[in-house]
Amino acid sequence: MAQSVESESLSEAEIRGLIEAFRSFDLDGTGQIEPHELNRVLLRCNIKRTPKEIAEMIKEVDITNDGQINFVEFCTMIKSRDKAVHDIELEDIFDKFDGKSNMIKNGSMSKADLSLAFNSLNVPTDDSEIDQIFESVGLIDNMGMSKAQFCKLFRVGEGFQGLSPLKAPRPKQPQNEEEEDYP
């Protein structure tokens, strides 16, 4: 059976976004997301999963049965995710970075907070990119982004329409992160 990404249902910008997202998970650049790589990215988002839960996440989309996630499987995983579960994860990320830049949680993400969130995922952004993201949801100056705006922006297929793709260089290897034994 040939594997392909259903490109007819994805825009070019969405495909580029999926490629960049895949690269941010594929820490060693092998073209496969291994269990320990998935764990590291989830830990950066303050999402803790056991090795068994990580294995189950991979098994759900691993059509090649090799215990890893290739790009096609990654796209399948992203496209098939339950919207409610995805929103909960986005809300968790929002909550983690709300007020991170000034230590004041106010239910609103500032440009500095969003920049810190990207940097924590090793996706450096400059001020013009952060401005562009805020403008895309109708915010000007340093008005805070609401949780609803943040979730809508980062849902696959809903956000970043018409924006230049964010640079996503190969992430640096994280140091001193919690790791459990992964196969």
Side-chain angles (χ1 to χ4, degrees):
M1 177 169 77
Q3 297 178 4
S4 66
V5 179
E6 295 177 29
S7 58
E8 67 275 357
S9 64
L10 296 173
S11 71
E12 185 177 326
E14 290 169 329
I15 292 170
R16 279 194 312 264
L18 286 169
I19 290 168
E20 296 304 322
F22 182 80
R23 287 180 182 157
S24 71
F25 279 77
D26 181 18
L27 300 174
D28 61 7
T30 62
Q32 299 282 335
I33 300 169
E34 299 168 33
H36 70 277
E37 292 172 314
L38 181 57
N39 181 53
R40 283 185 177 175
V41 173
L42 292 175
L43 284 172
R44 285 186 199 148
C45 297
N46 205 27
I47 299 170
K48 295 182 181 181
R49 297 291 183 259
T50 65
K52 184 177 180 179
E53 290 170 322
I54 295 285
E56 284 299 315
M57 290 173 70
I58 291 173
K59 186 178 180 182
E60 287 177 20
V61 296
D62 185 15
I63 58 177
T64 58
N65 293 318
D66 61 0
Q68 302 176 55
I69 301 172
N70 65 34
F71 181 69
V72 172
E73 294 165 342
F74 179 79
C75 292
T76 300
M77 177 178 75
I78 296 297
K79 286 184 65 176
S80 67
R81 294 195 43 98
D82 178 66
K83 181 182 174 289
V85 170
H86 186 60
D87 281 354
I88 290 168
E89 291 170 352
L90 286 172
E91 289 172 6
D92 288 346
I93 292 168
F94 179 91
D95 291 340
K96 178 181 178 185
F97 290 99
D98 169 25
K100 189 84 165 184
S101 65
N102 62 6
M103 306 307 284
I104 299 171
K105 286 202 175 283
N106 59 5
S108 172
M109 186 172 287
S110 70
K111 289 179 181 181
D113 294 336
L114 185 59
S115 182
L116 286 171
F118 278 118
N119 285 331
S120 76
L121 295 169
N122 290 321
V123 180
T125 54
D126 61 32
D127 290 343
S128 67
E129 290 171 317
I130 297 295
D131 289 343
Q132 194 177 20
I133 291 169
F134 267 66
E135 289 168 12
S136 76
V137 292
L139 299 174
I140 55 172
D141 297 324
N142 200 22
M143 291 173 54
M145 183 183 301
S146 72
K147 189 180 287 189
Q149 289 168 317
F150 178 84
C151 290
K152 180 175 171 63
L153 183 67
F154 288 97
R155 265 185 223 123
V156 172
E158 290 191 34
F160 297 111
Q161 300 300 318
L163 295 177
S164 62
L166 295 172
K167 298 181 282 259
R170 185 70 49 211
K172 296 177 256 174
Q173 291 296 329
Q175 297 178 5
N176 300 327
E177 287 189 8
E178 293 177 33
E179 285 196 52
E180 296 185 42
D181 291 327
Y182 286 89

